[in-house]
Amino acid sequence: MESSKHKWMPYVWLLPSILLIGIFVVFPILIVFRLSFSEISKAGVVGGFVGFQNYIDAVNLPAFKTVMKNTFWWVLSVVGLSTLLGFIIALVLNQKFRGRKIARSILIFPWATSLVIQASVWNYIIKYEYGNLNNVLLNLGIIRSPINWRVSYQVEFIWECGVGIFVTIPFVAFCVLSGLQSIDESLYESATVDGAGFWSKLWYITIPLVRPSLSVSTVLNIIYVFNSFPIIFTMTKGAPANKTDTMVTYLYMLSFYDRKKGPANALSVIGFLILCLCAGVYMMTVMRKEDEG
Amino acid sequence: MKKFTSILLTSAMVLSMAAAVPAYAETDTIELDVIICQYGPNTNDWFLGSGMDGSNFVAKFEEANPGIKLNLDVVSWNDVYTEVDTRIANNNAPDILNIDVFANYANEGLLLPVSDYCPEELYNDFFPSFIDQSVIDGTVWAVPDLASARALYYNVDIFEEVGIEPPTTWAELEDACQAIIDFYEGEVYPWGIDMTTDEGQAAFAYYTWGNGGGFVDENGEWAVNSAENAEAINFALSLVQNGYTNPNPATQTRYDLQDMFAAGKLAMVIAPNSLPTYVADKGGQINMATVGIPANEGKTSSSVGVMDRVMAFKDDSAPDQAARNEAIGKFLQFFYDPENYVGWVSMEGFLPAVNSAVEALVASDESFGAWLDVLGSCQFYPTAKAEWDQVKQGVIAAEQNALTGADIQAELDALQAELVK
């Protein structure tokens, strides 16, 4: 009697979450799929079925290629570099040194602050006219006249990636740190006795053992960064002419500025599928390696 | 017991969601959903807080009109399009909407003609030239709520120090810019340009209208790729390339320019009549004056008028259409009553849309008179044309592409081809 009750109890407790996910996640996704195959007027009135026309229109938009290229570099640079730097910082923070707790607390600030605030602050820092960076450099006598830190859209995009990396590092660092703290100290001691150096220990002990933490942080990061809207929208709004847009900011502009709602929905679905594919491939690769390991 | 508790908790959660759906349906009261755009920091307080003589618009309206309940939201300009479009997509359009555009809503049959709800006396009070901006196929679909006119503001102290006169032609503008650059050695930007997604269409209007071009031709047909337009935008781009302007026109909005002007870092900026209030609010003490927007040699200078609107959406589910229309009319009457409207327009720092407000406004601030004259000679964006959204974004994209080296004529040709397709 007791065991049969326990069989369905977990489902009862999960029901509210399942209902919420169903209403607020699954249902909107299904609606977007439906809208991507529907004719949608400029004012937002949903019309009849139009097959793949919205997808064809989306792919033929003049900015489509640029936006896809930007999205690729945005995700690759932010996820890649924040993972690398976050890993290094986690290694440092795992060492015993005076002020370690303070260093760990400071590290969380960029992650704990709202992205819109972060992006706005960086906008002020790199402002040409009265930006903090120019002021500091001028006061220190390093430069004689202000530098235009946003001299071209390519540079602006690099700044946006930089801010993306800056705010993402803490998340990776804390994920890796939790993995590092679970490694048994005796493994390093035995390796040291066997004559292993820093790189050998890193390669044969640390990396394999933090891989699960790293996998989780990377998959989550790919999803977060791909869907990240505030940094780009606050810093450039995709300007000039969508040259700094990523897919998410572009589809927002497409829907609510250009009022091309059909193609915007189609792009949204394309983004969702790309994300599913990336996360799926990555998870399968990592899980296979872990199984092999 | 545990089983019973878990079932109870789960049911409570599910039911709490269902309970969020309002269950009231009063038969005698007409409810109007109203969306108002946030023009400034005091808009919300005036409509919903205590900014209207210690009370607010909604409370006063409901007191004066028993039987009508207002569900009024003040929404920022950044969010209003998203909110309205989402509501329309969900068959939940507001009853009354205050926004700038109307053509899409009218063309898709979502709006009520103004004649269905606007009392005649009030209708006759609107400036006829404003009403004309909201006509499609002979039907008026919206009424103006306020307007602003743009003119060239210049920093008088800078001009006196450099020893130059405010420019009226493009050639004079280039000379003035060069003189300011030479005098301040680059410390002051002579000229402000905003080609951002916020207001890049205004830049297009400033230069093309000053060169005999514009968005449409004399027959009202799209003509964005005229030679005059390309020449005008090339002139604007030459100002950027010569270093006469703020360095990043694609990302520096009008508000960035106004901040620079308030800080004395920008000598000239095209701005609405609310600029002095804006500068004062920023703590700036700029000795400023206005002149017309410079035009090309031999061409007429034209001020740019910007007008927002109030419109009413259809609601087929309303049980008594006549009563609903009457309620909308009462809302408008109360809003445009000089006792309420004059306070609102002067608080927001804009220009009025009705004759009955002019006298009181001019009495309170003499500069209104001069601005009303400017408004009389303004050109407006062709917002009554269905493709306006596309044109607006298209000219901004063309400008921004040209800023990064693209050929403006080719960009405008491509936009025109898309429009006539």
Side-chain angles (χ1 to χ4, degrees):
Chain A
M1 185 68 193
E2 190 68 17
S3 66
S4 75
K5 191 173 90 179
H6 277 243
K7 256 185 198 165
W8 58 266
M9 276 301 275
Y11 298 106
V12 172
W13 291 113
L14 282 173
L15 189 63
S17 307
I18 292 170
L19 275 175
L20 286 173
I21 291 171
I23 293 167
F24 293 109
V25 179
V26 180
F27 184 62
I29 289 173
L30 294 177
I31 295 275
V32 171
F33 267 85
R34 183 176 73 89
L35 290 177
S36 72
F37 292 104
S38 306
E39 187 183 3
I40 310 172
S41 76
K42 285 181 176 181
V45 179
V46 182
F49 178 75
V50 288
F52 282 92
Q53 192 54 48
N54 287 330
Y55 289 85
I56 295 165
D57 291 346
V59 173
N60 287 329
L61 287 165
F64 181 76
K65 275 185 192 162
T66 310
V67 169
M68 293 303 282
K69 202 170 72 183
N70 286 351
T71 311
F72 174 77
W73 285 114
W74 164 252
V75 175
L76 188 75
S77 64
V78 175
V79 175
L81 286 174
S82 65
T83 303
L84 179 69
L85 295 172
F87 185 79
I88 294 169
I89 289 172
L91 286 180
V92 174
L93 290 179
N94 199 39
Q95 306 301 311
K96 288 192 177 82
F97 60 91
R98 193 187 274 268
R100 185 170 72 158
K101 279 186 181 166
I102 296 171
R104 285 183 181 179
S105 311
I106 290 172
L107 181 68
I108 206 141
F109 284 162
W111 194 50
T113 316
S114 133
L115 287 180
V116 175
I117 295 174
Q118 288 272 355
S120 304
V121 167
W122 277 99
N123 252 350
Y124 277 107
I125 291 174
I126 61 171
K127 217 172 191 150
Y128 177 52
E129 293 79 22
Y130 19 74
N132 307 51
L133 184 57
N134 274 338
N135 273 344
V136 169
L137 295 178
L138 282 167
N139 288 336
L140 290 175
I142 296 171
I143 55 173
R144 285 187 179 174
S145 59
I147 294 173
N148 184 2
W149 297 104
R150 310 176 64 147
V151 70
S152 68
Y153 68 87
Q154 291 94 336
V155 175
E156 290 190 307
F157 190 64
I158 291 171
W159 274 110
E160 287 170 333
C161 292
V163 176
I165 293 164
F166 181 74
V167 298
T168 311
I169 284 174
F171 174 69
V172 180
F174 278 97
C175 281
V176 175
L177 199 55
S178 67
L180 287 174
Q181 283 170 346
S182 66
I183 298 176
D184 193 344
E185 198 62 32
S186 61
L187 287 172
Y188 290 112
E189 284 164 13
S190 345
T192 312
V193 171
D194 292 342
F198 171 80
W199 294 108
S200 305
K201 281 191 270 187
L202 180 72
W203 194 250
Y204 293 109
I205 299 173
T206 312
I207 290 179
L209 290 176
V210 295
R211 190 182 285 152
S213 317
L214 218 46
S215 308
V216 172
S217 79
T218 308
V219 172
L220 289 178
N221 253 342
I222 290 173
I223 297 168
Y224 291 154
V225 173
F226 189 96
N227 284 328
S228 180
F229 180 85
I231 294 173
I232 287 171
F233 201 74
T234 308
M235 291 186 77
T236 60
K237 259 191 178 174
N242 310 112
K243 287 190 171 65
T244 59
D245 261 326
T246 61
M247 210 158 167
V248 173
T249 54
Y250 180 58
L251 68 89
Y252 179 84
M253 299 292 282
L254 205 56
S255 179
F256 296 110
Y257 280 66
D258 298 354
R259 290 179 176 257
K260 291 177 178 166
K261 292 176 191 296
N265 274 289
L267 261 188
S268 192
V269 171
I270 292 172
F272 175 75
L273 295 176
I274 291 174
L275 219 44
C276 286
L277 191 73
C278 290
V281 168
Y282 187 82
M283 289 292 275
M284 281 199 301
T285 317
V286 169
M287 280 159 82
R288 193 183 301 148
K289 274 190 182 167
E290 274 169 14
D291 288 346
E292 284 166 7
Chain B
M1 188 61 200
K2 271 185 190 167
K3 182 173 141 191
F4 176 73
T5 316
S6 62
I7 292 171
L8 196 71
L9 277 172
T10 315
S11 313
M13 283 184 215
V14 174
L15 286 173
S16 68
M17 281 186 255
V21 179
Y24 56 84
E26 291 174 39
T27 46
D28 297 340
T29 307
I30 292 179
E31 289 195 26
L32 294 177
D33 289 350
V34 185
I35 291 181
I36 298 289
C37 285
Q38 186 169 21
Y39 286 97
N42 302 318
T43 312
N44 197 61
D45 203 30
W46 194 84
F47 277 102
L48 295 163
S50 56
M52 196 178 174
D53 310 323
S55 180
N56 61 60
F57 179 85
V58 171
K60 287 193 173 197
F61 174 83
E62 288 179 349
E63 194 186 325
N65 295 280
I68 305 174
K69 185 179 182 307
L70 296 183
N71 301 318
L72 188 144
D73 282 327
V74 174
V75 183
S76 84
W77 280 103
N78 282 337
D79 300 326
V80 70
Y81 304 103
T82 320
E83 170 144 356
V84 174
D85 289 1
T86 311
R87 288 182 68 149
I88 291 171
N90 291 319
N91 287 323
N92 185 27
D95 296 296
I96 299 172
L97 172 65
N98 160 219
I99 206 167
D100 51 351
V101 290
F102 76 103
N104 289 329
Y105 307 135
N107 287 330
E108 290 177 27
L110 301 171
L111 296 184
L112 280 174
V114 166
S115 56
D116 282 11
Y117 55 83
C118 185
E120 200 176 336
E121 194 186 343
L122 173 61
Y123 182 83
N124 293 331
D125 197 18
F126 290 110
F127 298 147
S129 60
F130 284 16
I131 288 283
D132 290 348
Q133 305 300 319
S134 303
V135 176
I136 297 176
D137 295 336
T139 305
V140 183
W141 295 103
V143 292
D145 68 322
L146 48 70
S148 76
R150 302 287 165 88
L152 174 61
Y153 281 88
Y154 65 96
N155 184 319
V156 176
D157 293 340
I158 290 177
F159 271 65
E160 282 178 358
E161 213 166 12
V162 180
I164 49 173
E165 290 296 316
T168 57
T169 65
W170 287 357
E172 288 173 14
L173 172 60
E174 284 176 316
D175 292 343
C177 288
Q178 190 58 53
I180 293 167
I181 288 282
D182 292 343
F183 189 88
Y184 290 102
E185 295 175 339
E187 289 287 305
V188 170
Y189 300 128
W191 184 251
I193 286 192
D194 164 7
M195 288 181 170
T196 66
T197 42
D198 282 18
E199 259 211 337
Q201 80 281 5
F204 190 83
Y206 299 151
Y207 300 96
T208 59
W209 284 347
N211 196 35
F215 299 97
V216 291
D217 61 19
E218 59 277 12
N219 302 318
E221 302 297 328
W222 292 117
V224 292
N225 64 335
S226 67
E228 289 86 356
N229 288 357
E231 185 191 16
I233 302 304
N234 274 327
F235 169 74
L237 294 169
S238 75
L239 296 176
V240 180
Q241 284 147 8
N242 291 332
Y244 295 156
T245 68
N246 47 304
N248 299 312
T251 49
Q252 289 174 312
T253 66
R254 175 160 64 83
Y255 296 99
D256 291 320
L257 302 182
Q258 291 183 180
D259 288 347
M260 288 181 217
F261 187 78
K265 292 274 288 179
L266 180 64
M268 292 177 273
V269 64
I270 300 172
N273 55 299
S274 54
L275 184 67
T277 318
Y278 184 90
V279 171
D281 287 347
K282 288 273 170 183
Q285 290 180 326
I286 302 294
N287 180 13
M288 64 181 99
T290 57
V291 287
I293 298 168
N296 200 359
E297 200 75 50
K299 300 283 165 53
T300 319
S301 167
S302 173
S303 180
V304 176
V306 179
M307 189 183 74
D308 297 331
R309 300 170 166 88
V310 178
M311 59 206 76
F313 278 76
K314 286 179 185 167
D315 179 7
D316 295 335
S317 68
D320 187 344
Q321 294 288 333
R324 178 177 179 265
N325 290 354
E326 195 187 337
I328 295 170
K330 282 183 175 171
F331 173 88
L332 294 182
Q333 263 178 324
F334 193 77
F335 178 66
Y336 289 101
D337 186 326
E339 262 191 46
N340 305 323
Y341 183 72
V342 168
W344 181 68
V345 170
S346 44
M347 177 193 80
E348 303 290 17
F350 285 93
L351 300 171
V354 286
N355 281 302
S356 58
V358 170
E359 203 180 321
L361 282 165
V362 174
S364 68
D365 182 353
E366 280 182 14
S367 70
F368 265 112
W371 277 103
L372 286 169
D373 288 343
V374 174
L375 202 55
S377 62
C378 273
Q379 289 199 60
F380 289 90
Y381 298 134
T383 45
K385 291 178 79 69
E387 300 84 3
W388 168 242
D389 293 312
Q390 195 184 345
V391 171
K392 179 179 158 187
Q393 296 307 322
V395 296
I396 294 171
E399 288 169 350
Q400 294 190 348
N401 276 326
L403 277 170
T404 59
D407 174 35
I408 188 68
Q409 184 69 61
E411 291 287 320
L412 295 176
D413 285 345
L415 176 61
Q416 179 74 16
E418 223 180 289
L419 290 169
V420 297
K421 196 162 59 180

